[in-house]
Structures are given as C-alpha cells and as structure tokens.
C-alpha cells in the first residue's frame, strides 16, 4: 500500500519522567536500577481510538491498569496504520512498548482486548501470536504480512536469554531481530542469508510493533548496560504499572 506522507513535523511532548542513564554508561557491568515515578495522569487523556481503547480496558479489567492499556492502545494504533503513514522526518508508526506490573496486577487484560479487537475487524493477520520461538520465525511471520504486532508475555525472559554471559539460543535471536527491524521500514529488508537461496527472505517495508509485559524484577534483573548503549532502550517506551491497581467493574 502507498504511504501517506505527513507534511507537518511530529509533535513531541516533554515530561520530566525519564530514566537517567548517565551514571551507568561508563560502567559496562553495572545493572540497570531505574528510578520510577508515578505515571503522569494527563497522558491518559488521549482523544480518539487510543482513549476509547483505554476506557474499554478500564470497563473490562479485573485490575485497572490504565497506563498499561495506553501502551497496548499505542501499539494497536501503530499496527493498524503500519505501512500507511510516514511523517516529515521519515518516522513510521512501528512502536515498541514494554510494561511492567506485579503478578496478578492486570497485565493480561490489555493483550486480550487487542486480540478481541483484531478479531472483530478481521485483522488477526496483523498479529504474531505470542512468544516467538526464534528470530527466523519472526522473519517468516513478517514475510506473510509485513505489518505485525508482536505481543510477548514475560518478555524479561528474552533479555535473560540475550545476556552476554548466556546468549541462550533462539530467544536471544528474537531480541537481535527486534533491534534490527526497528529502523528497516523504508525499503526492502532481508533476514539472515543462507547458501540455499530458497531459505532467504526479503520483506518489503517491514513494520513490526512490540507490546511486551513482565514483572519488574524479570526485566531489570536481566537488563544489561549493553541494551542502553546499543540503542535498544532508546527504541522502547517503558511503562511501569500501578503497584496497587483499583478493582475493575468485572
């Protein structure tokens, strides 16, 4: 499909809620210790489809996590507009979001609501399922449909697999592919190259969005400074859920 070129520059809102990484960039072996503040309430008041999705999650949740619902809504909007919209700076709506919340703290509901909506609009081909087994399987999914939303529960395990001291096989490949795919939406992209040309895959303008959820410990205990310095964290919107979510209406 043709991309709609946006002439106006992207709108960026600045809030003083960033994680300061300056103290760790020079020490490659230090673990990341985030400073987490309460999610800004004004960011939850979003017009249009994103705000309606957050409201829908609030009405269907056992434990209300509006910030996590916001992250899922942004990813859903991203995949629905994938390969259709590009702004004046050549940015595309492939969004990476990782949300953290305690076990039983409401991480499941936003993923369920995304799947429910994609089912209702006959858009299941935009989903990747959950927990891809390898980087090559992720590439094959993009070959079938270049705009995809990947939802991974307990994504912290993938970072555990990707740690330099472990590098545990296929799950580590998934993190590597996520890093590479983020900026490949402008033209044809190929995955790993094999001597057997029949195994080689070329994807036209792949646009992969990621919605990952995990408990905080699994993420931060397995996150290394390498993820800060190799550009992965700069590609991700990190959202911390409410430690004590309100009960929903269900």
């Amino acid at each position: 499909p043709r991309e709609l070129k946006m002439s106006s520059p992207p709108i960026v809102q600045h809030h003083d809620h960033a994680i300061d990484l300056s103290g760790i960039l020079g020490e490659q072996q230090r673990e990341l210790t985030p400073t987490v503040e309460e999610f800004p309430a004004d960011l939850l008041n979003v017009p249009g489809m994103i705000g309606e999705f957050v409201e829908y999650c609030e009405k269907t949740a056992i434990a209300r996590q509006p910030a996590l619902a916001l992250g899922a809504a942004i990813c859903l909007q991203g995949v629905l507009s994938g390969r259709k919209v590009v702004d004046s700076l050549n940015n595309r709506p492939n969004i990476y979001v990782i949300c953290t919340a305690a076990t039983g703290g409401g991480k499941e509901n936003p993923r369920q609501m995304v799947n429910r909506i994609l089912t209702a609009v006959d858009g299941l081909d935009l989903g990747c399922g959950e927990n891809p087994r390898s980087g090559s399987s992720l590439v094959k999914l993009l070959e079938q449909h270049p705009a995809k939303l990947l939802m991974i529960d307990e994504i912290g395990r993938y970072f555990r697999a990707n740690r330099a001291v472990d590098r545990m096989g296929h799950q580590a490949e998934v993190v590597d592919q996520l890093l590479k795919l983020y900026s490949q939406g402008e033209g044809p992209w190929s995955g790993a190259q094999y001597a057997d040309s029949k195994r080689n895959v070329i994807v036209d303008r792949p646009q992969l969005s990621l919605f990952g959820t995990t408990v905080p410990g699994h993420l931060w205990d397995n996150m290394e400074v390498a993820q800060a310095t190799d550009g992965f964290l700069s590609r991700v919107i990190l959202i911390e859920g409410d430690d004590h979510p309100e009960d929903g209406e269900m």
Side-chain angles (χ1 to χ4, degrees), residues 200-226:
N200 295 332
V201 174
I202 298 178
V203 182
D204 180 34
R205 291 177 293 139
Q207 296 199 25
L208 177 70
S209 292
L210 167 70
F211 180 66
T213 54
T214 185
V215 297
H218 286 174
L219 177 65
W220 296 115
D221 290 349
N222 295 312
M223 186 73 70
E224 293 184 322
V225 174

Side-chain angles (χ1 to χ4, degrees), residues 98 128-135 137-138 150-164 166-178 210-214 218-219 222-224 227 232:
I98 296 178
C128 286
E130 293 188 13
N131 305 329
R133 302 184 67 87
S134 67
S137 67
L138 186 57
L150 173 62
M151 296 192 289
I152 301 180
D153 188 25
E154 297 305 339
I155 195 172
R157 297 175 182 175
Y158 284 78
F159 292 107
R160 171 70 173 84
N162 198 54
R163 288 178 64 127
D166 298 306
R167 293 296 299 174
M168 293 166 54
H170 298 312
Q171 285 187 331
E173 293 177 5
V174 174
V175 179
D176 291 342
Q177 293 290 13
L178 289 172
L210 167 70
F211 180 66
T213 54
T214 185
H218 286 174
L219 177 65
N222 295 312
M223 186 73 70
E224 293 184 322
Q227 272 86 44
F232 187 84

Side-chain angles (χ1 to χ4, degrees), residues 5-14 85-93 95 182:
K5 197 77 174 181
M6 306 295 287
S7 58
S8 58
I11 298 174
V12 179
Q13 291 181 325
H14 296 282
V85 176
V86 58
D87 70 14
S88 59
L89 297 181
N90 218 25
N91 296 309
R92 289 164 172 79
I95 309 296
Y182 186 83

Side-chain angles (χ1 to χ4, degrees), residues 1-5 78 81-87 89-96 142 145-148 177-190 202-209 235:
R2 294 183 58 189
E3 291 179 324
L4 176 63
K5 197 77 174 181
S81 55
R83 304 177 80 243
K84 301 183 181 76
V85 176
V86 58
D87 70 14
L89 297 181
N90 218 25
N91 296 309
R92 289 164 172 79
N94 53 308
I95 309 296
Y96 289 2
L142 287 168
H145 198 293
K148 287 282 189 181
Q177 293 290 13
L178 289 172
L179 181 60
K180 296 172 183 176
L181 280 163
Y182 186 83
S183 58
Q184 299 300 319
E186 186 172 357
W189 176 82
S190 59
I202 298 178
V203 182
D204 180 34
R205 291 177 293 139
Q207 296 199 25
L208 177 70
S209 292
R235 291 161 164 78

